[in-house]
Amino acid sequence: MAAVTTDTPTHAVRYRGLVARRIVILTGLALLLVLSLAVDVSLGPARYPLWDVMRTIFAPSSSDIQMRVVIWEIRMPMALLAITVGASLSLAGAQMQTILANPLASPFTLGLSAAASFGAALAMVLGVALFPAAVALMVPINAFAMAMAASLLIFGLSTLRGVTVETIVLLGIALVFSFNAALALLQYFASEQALSAVVFWTMGSLTKATWAKVAVTAGILLICTPLFARRAWALTAIRLGETRAAAMGVPVKRLRLEALFLVSLLAAVPVSFVGTIGFIGIVGPHVARLLLGEDQRFFLPGAMLCGAVILSATSVLSKAILPGAVLPIGIITALVGVPFFAALILTKGRKSW
Amino acid sequence: MVSLALEKVSARYGHRQILSDASTPEIEGGALTALLGANAAGKSTLFRRIAGQLPGAGAVRLSDANETDLRYMPQDTAMSAALTVYESIILALKQGGGGWRLSASELASVDDVLHHFGLGDLADRQLPELSGGQRQAVGIAQTLVTRPKVVLMDEPTSALDLYRQYEVLDALQNYARETGAVMVLALHDLNQVMRACTTVMALAEGRILATGLTLEVLTPDLIARLYGIDSRVERCSRGCPVMIVDGPARPAVR
């Protein structure tokens, strides 16, 4: 019988093709990231030839001390922080969108960035240290404490009975306005010097990058990513709707709480180091969704890579636009990100969100 | 033989008692059982209670099956995720556990369920592009891909056209026969019920009024109590029982 062999899994073959395409896309994103990192390190106010930069990276002892300091103590931490912060904010946004079933959810729209700005301003304007033990680090620590407080508030309220995902998102937007008003009040009473510090902080900047900040943000990514990865199937199923996911055996409530907690950490720490970089948390996940779909096995690494590539490329732009100057990266993400994002949605937008 | 029986099962949402003392004799697998009841009679609550999603008094007795063999298909079919139909069925398959890798046999079972429910052409389509009826069919495939022994489906045919209703109920009957599964379907079309379902459970105001063979239980009197409708069950020219609706029930009966 050579007639019909219905048991040939033709769809499975096509699915394997889809998986292969996605692996190619992920690899491409990773290569793009390496390229962007290389360009980022080679650019800066001091013009060094690319060859010298590479030599300083791979054989530091052969370069003079000034070059080593510029590359290893200034440019490398900045370039790497762009990557860890971009990946963290994008992953945080991706999982917020997943568990809250809302395309607008991100560290920015849920009020975490606004809370962090307010915390930082408390330190810069009033000199208030929320943890007096660490006065030297009071700006980032205040920012972190306020961002964590905001997300724990959202986290706590989401455990109440009858609180829906829509309520959580509305509450986040209410937080944005409240913290912005409080911040404006602080700015009104601030000295000129403090005011300019606050304004610069809220623009978002990588210029205060250190190896310690790179290590902390990378460490948090290393802790959170495997925890999300282990729940990849369940997180994907949540996107089929709460009831359907529950019917498939997903512990929806518990998973949502766990994810909200991880997301709080992922968002609060980078924001307290670099200030307001609003757009990555929304654009990163949406680009990843358009490229790779929402199977978390691809979406999870994809969202991180997209966020990292976007912020790293933005860092390159922030140095390239005005030679000799480094523009605040938060401004560039919005200026370049918005038109790019709009174009992407309008040209390639599927019906999913 | 797989079977399901309820013993004084209750459930409440907050202060509202939705189900009280729902009991049934053993419902045996291998054929379809219809769960009948007016809107808000408690059908979805009963399903969720049996599926273990709601707490409450009483016992759900399964024989020859345990809770992991049970699948519940809720009514809501909102699917805005950027997933293909194929991926969404893999997803249902992998919730039981297992790592990121997909084995050949897992992929084969996805292909199999797509084939059985006539969804082959939709395999590569994105969920948000589907019509309501197509989503419902995908939901059925998601529910059955794990080969469950106890299946609860909340209005599985409500968005399907006549042909698809027939096709889907036929496929569900075949599934029940092949696997011996207990399959309880909440349905509203009583003629479909008479054609496809061997057994009927009738639910009104959170209580089970009757459970039994379709043609014995589905009397004009029961239909009047369930839906407030006067009706007749008559034989058509080919001898099949057909239900004819006459109008709202007389007050005396309600």
Side-chain angles (χ1 to χ4, degrees):
Chain A
M1 282 269 292
V4 201
T5 47
T6 45
D7 49 356
T8 314
T10 50
H11 302 300
V13 172
R14 280 221 295 283
Y15 177 70
R16 292 220 185 270
L18 184 70
V19 169
R21 267 206 305 286
R22 286 180 177 166
I23 291 171
V24 168
I25 292 176
L26 283 174
T27 314
L29 283 171
L31 290 177
L32 208 57
L33 185 60
V34 173
L35 183 71
S36 176
L37 175 66
V39 177
D40 199 5
V41 174
S42 66
L43 273 180
R47 306 236 151 182
Y48 297 125
L50 185 61
W51 166 248
D52 289 350
V53 173
M54 289 302 145
R55 203 184 53 204
T56 315
I57 292 172
F58 292 107
S61 52
S62 61
S63 303
D64 66 79
I65 179 107
Q66 189 209 352
M67 184 138 182
R68 256 183 297 173
V69 169
V70 167
I71 301 295
W72 279 97
E73 298 307 318
I74 301 174
R75 289 192 191 173
M76 280 292 264
M78 258 181 87
L80 290 175
L81 194 64
I83 289 175
T84 55
V85 165
S88 300
L89 290 177
S90 182
L91 178 58
Q95 301 305 24
M96 283 178 175
Q97 288 161 18
T98 301
I99 56 175
L100 298 178
N102 193 307
L104 291 177
S106 79
F108 188 70
T109 43
L110 287 188
L112 270 64
S113 298
S117 300
F118 174 71
L122 269 183
M124 290 185 273
V125 176
L126 302 178
V128 175
L130 294 174
F131 292 92
V135 177
L137 290 172
M138 71 179 171
V139 172
I141 286 183
N142 272 12
F144 174 73
M146 289 309 290
M148 236 14 223
S151 59
L152 289 179
L153 179 67
I154 291 176
F155 181 78
L157 283 166
S158 68
T159 62
L160 296 181
R161 269 181 63 96
V163 172
T164 62
V165 288
E166 290 86 356
T167 326
I168 297 173
V169 174
L170 285 176
L171 191 89
I173 290 169
L175 279 184
V176 173
F177 284 106
S178 312
F179 279 117
N180 280 347
L183 179 65
L185 193 67
L186 277 181
Q187 287 175 327
Y188 183 77
F189 289 112
S191 69
E192 216 156 281
Q193 197 190 359
L195 183 64
S196 66
V198 171
V199 169
F200 186 73
W201 196 91
T202 53
M203 283 174 186
S205 167
L206 293 168
T207 46
K208 294 212 173 84
T210 61
W211 280 105
K213 290 178 182 176
V214 172
V216 171
T217 45
I220 289 172
L221 269 177
L222 281 178
I223 294 169
C224 294
T225 312
L227 291 175
F228 282 127
R230 266 179 51 197
R231 293 162 176 73
W233 294 114
L235 283 165
T236 315
I238 279 197
R239 290 286 291 115
L240 295 180
E242 203 170 322
T243 12
R244 192 161 292 257
M248 288 177 179
V250 177
V252 176
K253 283 224 167 73
R254 207 187 69 210
L255 185 64
R256 184 172 286 150
L257 279 182
E258 286 172 2
L260 260 181
F261 182 74
L262 293 180
V263 156
S264 304
L265 266 183
L266 270 176
V269 172
V271 161
S272 63
F273 287 161
V274 301
T276 309
I277 298 182
F279 222 57
I280 302 293
I282 287 191
V283 182
H286 279 277
V287 173
R289 194 175 284 119
L290 286 169
L291 290 176
L292 296 157
E294 281 192 87
D295 181 339
Q296 291 259 345
R297 292 177 304 155
F298 307 105
F299 182 51
L300 180 76
M304 288 200 288
L305 280 172
C306 285
V309 168
I310 293 170
L311 200 57
S312 179
T314 314
S315 169
V316 170
L317 271 181
S318 74
K319 296 182 204 170
I321 289 178
L322 278 182
V326 181
L327 295 175
I329 197 163
I331 299 178
I332 313 289
T333 42
L335 279 184
V336 180
V338 174
F340 168 71
F341 185 49
L344 192 76
I345 291 181
L346 293 176
T347 53
K348 220 198 157 196
R350 297 214 187 90
K351 280 181 198 161
S352 55
W353 288 342
Chain B
M1 180 65 121
V2 184
S3 73
L4 163 78
L6 305 181
E7 274 174 32
K8 299 198 164 187
V9 168
S10 301
R12 49 167 65 232
Y13 276 122
H15 306 295
R16 260 180 354 120
Q17 186 81 24
I18 310 280
L19 270 185
S20 29
D21 291 343
S23 297
T24 65
E26 286 214 341
I27 298 167
E28 294 194 334
L32 303 187
T33 301
L35 175 62
L36 302 181
N39 295 333
K43 298 188 294 294
S44 303
T45 307
L46 180 64
F47 278 157
R48 293 188 60 196
R49 174 69 183 80
I50 297 175
Q53 289 187 12
L54 291 175
V60 176
R61 303 235 179 268
L62 298 177
S63 67
D64 223 9
N66 57 46
E67 283 145 36
T68 55
D69 298 321
L70 185 150
R71 282 289 175 280
Y72 158 53
M73 175 181 143
Q75 206 178 343
D76 102 287
T77 48
M79 295 186 194
S80 62
L83 295 169
T84 65
V85 167
Y86 199 90
E87 287 178 295
S88 79
I89 294 171
I90 289 177
L91 202 52
L93 186 66
K94 293 299 277 187
Q95 292 305 326
W100 280 25
R101 283 199 158 277
L102 293 162
S103 67
S105 69
E106 282 170 328
L107 292 179
S109 58
V110 176
D111 268 63
D112 192 49
V113 79
L114 284 171
H115 174 72
H116 269 91
F117 287 89
L119 293 170
D121 295 342
L122 298 180
D124 300 329
R125 294 270 292 276
Q126 295 279 323
L127 290 183
E129 293 170 6
L130 301 183
S131 74
Q134 289 170 332
R135 281 182 208 176
Q136 202 159 36
V138 170
I140 293 171
Q142 286 172 358
T143 311
L144 297 184
V145 69
T146 54
R147 311 286 285 176
K149 289 186 192 167
V150 180
V151 181
L152 313 169
M153 291 185 162
D154 207 343
E155 302 195 20
T157 58
S158 60
L160 303 179
D161 63 45
L162 273 179
Y163 180 78
R164 297 287 293 168
Q165 286 182 27
Y166 173 84
E167 197 180 48
V168 162
L169 284 174
D170 216 48
L172 292 178
Q173 273 179 296
N174 283 336
Y175 178 85
R177 256 197 303 275
E178 277 170 30
T179 59
V182 172
M183 303 193 75
V184 186
L185 321 177
L187 294 172
H188 280 307
D189 185 334
L190 296 183
N191 283 317
Q192 292 280 21
V193 170
M194 286 194 285
R195 198 184 57 76
C197 301
T198 317
T199 323
V200 158
M201 275 163 78
L203 188 70
E205 287 166 7
R207 290 169 195 282
I208 291 188
L209 298 183
T211 308
L213 290 176
T214 305
L215 291 180
E216 290 172 12
V217 171
L218 212 55
T219 58
D221 179 47
L222 181 81
I223 291 167
R225 283 170 69 198
L226 282 180
Y227 302 107
I229 280 290
D230 268 344
S231 63
R232 287 166 283 153
V233 176
E234 297 192 348
R235 298 273 163 183
C236 78
S237 57
R238 291 184 184 170
C240 310
V242 175
M243 204 203 71
I244 297 160
V245 174
D246 288 325
R250 294 176 303 275
V253 184
R254 296 199 77 178

